[in-house]
Each structure stands twice: as structure tokens, then as C-alpha cells.
Amino acid sequence: MLEVRGVSKRFRAPDGRARTALDDITLTVQPGRFCVLIGPTGCGKSTVLSMIAGLVRPSEGAILIDGQPVSGTDPRTGFMFQSDAVFPWKTVLGNVAAGPRFRGTPRREAAELARDWLRRVGLSGFEHYYPYQLSGGMRKRVALAQTLINGPQILLMDEPFSGLDAQTRQIMSDELLGLWEQLGASVLMVTHDLEEAIALADTVVVLTAGPATVKKEFAVDLPRPRSVREVRFQPRFVELHEQIWSCLSEEVSLAYARATTSP
């Protein structure tokens, strides 16, 4: 279980003044649940993920995994970044096998694991390609396999499908749901796409305009398994979209007003 307890984060601004990015954020992701953070641009969503991953330390509060404080990077946690975190000098197979190799898995066994995960994400036959030879969607598949091969108990995703065309994004979302249901990991994902958030999540958490705090949590009571395309036509999906957008739009308008009036 992932717990964020009263977490705040302050940064030093270029003018030397302290800036509060996050203020007293509290949320819980239960085992095997899919939670999505959504909020205005620049409100601190990615910072929340970075703190959970142990890459940034909170100024106040605590982050716990199974009751133990996070004090650095944790092998139980996987992080899929917005930008492709692939090694350009390695083949597709080498990229996906890198995690197990780093953790001490013998080369041959790591390669077999990597081939299995490439099959799962639909990249069989591309093992010896390099990242520059792949489309954007294929690179995202590599990044997904690269993250999931390590069997994370907690999966952090920072707008993992941004930059993809609508059709590829939908396919990737469906693939993510299928793989997540097999693994049973706890997921915390950041996105700006409200439809994507509702289609994927068990819980959608709306953050306020900065300094960000939790404004409201919405339980997504749509049945699983889900098809990302088909679920959007359900009346309950439309109802949830209206409720969450009503809550979110106030914060988006506030953030925009601040951005357009600040000196």
C-alpha cells in the first residue's frame, strides 16, 4: 500500500524566495488499485511522483510503502516517465533486459525475460532494432516493457502516452489495462486527459491550482475489465466526466488567470 501523509514541498525560486509547490497532500493507493492524479498544468503532479519514487525529498510529511518511510529509490517501485527513458545505444532487447541485468539476473535469463515481455507488448520481431528505428508508439511499448519486466508492486506513470496520436494512445491504454490486471500492481498515474483518467482509474484525485493540495477524490465505479473506447459511451462515464470536470475546471480557470495576470 502506498500512503502520502501531509506532504508539502517548497522550492527556491530564481528570485531567491521560497515557493510552495505542494501543500499538505494526503492520499492512499490501496494494493492493486489504479489511481490517477489530475490537475492544472504546473500544479505539482509530477513532483508528487518524484517524491514517491525517492528522487525528491518532501519538505514536510511522510511517504510510506507498506508502512515503511520512503528514504530513496525502492526496487518495488517502477517509474514510466513522460519522455522515453530508453538507452539509444542499446537494442530493443538490450533496453528491456537492462533492468533484470542491473538486478543481477544472468544474461541469458534476462534476455529470455525480455523476449517474453516484448511478446506481451506486441514487439516480437523487433528485438534487434534500435530506438531511433521505431515509431513513437513502439518506443512507448519498449518503455512499458522496460518498466514492467521488473515486476513493480507500485507503478508510477507520468503522462506515459503524451505525444501519441489518439488511436495509438487508445491502443496503449488498453494494453496497459491488460498488463496491469495480470500484474496486480498499485498504480499512480498523472495525466491531463480527463477521459483517459476515468477510462483507466479506480479513483481520480483532483489537485488544486498551486500550491497543490487534494481538492476531491472521485470513485470510478465502472465495471472491469474495460475497453477504453467502449467505456466512454456508458451513461455512468458521462456522468462522472461532468462531475469531475465541474470540480477540475475551477482550478484550471484559476491557474490560467494567474498565468495571464502575473508580471
Side-chain angles (χ1 to χ4, degrees), residues 170 174 227-233:
Q170 182 176 290
D174 276 326
S227 162
V228 170
R229 186 184 72 84
E230 294 175 0
V231 75
R232 302 179 190 219
F233 298 103

Side-chain angles (χ1 to χ4, degrees), residues 52-222:
I52 294 169
L55 303 176
V56 176
R57 298 187 67 175
S59 302
E60 296 172 1
I63 298 169
L64 301 96
I65 298 176
D66 290 338
Q68 299 299 313
V70 171
S71 58
T73 56
D74 191 307
R76 295 170 295 179
T77 301
F79 201 151
M80 188 171 173
F81 298 91
Q82 183 174 353
S83 301
D84 300 327
V86 295
F87 304 115
W89 62 89
K90 286 183 176 289
T91 64
V92 167
L93 184 67
N95 266 285
V96 178
R101 288 288 294 142
F102 181 77
R103 296 175 184 223
T105 303
R107 185 181 301 276
R108 181 173 296 180
E109 184 180 343
E112 288 305 312
L113 283 171
R115 288 190 178 91
D116 178 54
W117 273 100
L118 289 171
R119 176 189 58 78
R120 296 192 201 192
V121 299
L123 285 178
S124 291
F126 291 90
E127 292 85 352
H128 302 296
Y129 282 60
Y130 286 87
Y132 76 90
Q133 297 173 305
L134 305 178
S135 66
M138 294 168 78
R139 286 170 64 98
K140 291 294 185 183
R141 285 190 171 93
V142 174
L144 186 59
Q146 193 179 41
T147 305
L148 297 183
I149 192 173
N150 296 312
Q153 295 176 33
I154 294 174
L155 177 60
L156 307 175
M157 310 186 81
D158 190 359
E159 296 192 69
F161 307 137
S162 63
L164 298 178
D165 63 82
Q167 294 86 355
T168 304
R169 189 167 185 149
Q170 182 176 290
I171 291 169
M172 289 298 303
S173 294
D174 276 326
E175 289 184 354
L176 170 62
L177 283 181
L179 292 169
W180 164 69
E181 287 166 0
Q182 293 175 30
L183 289 176
S186 303
V187 179
L188 185 60
M189 176 176 170
V190 163
T191 183
H192 283 100
D193 187 328
L194 180 53
E195 289 194 2
E196 180 178 68
I198 299 170
L200 294 173
D202 296 307
T203 305
V204 174
V205 178
V206 177
L207 300 185
T208 62
T213 192
V214 173
K215 182 175 184 180
K216 192 170 183 179
E217 296 188 14
F218 293 85
V220 180
D221 51 357
L222 296 167

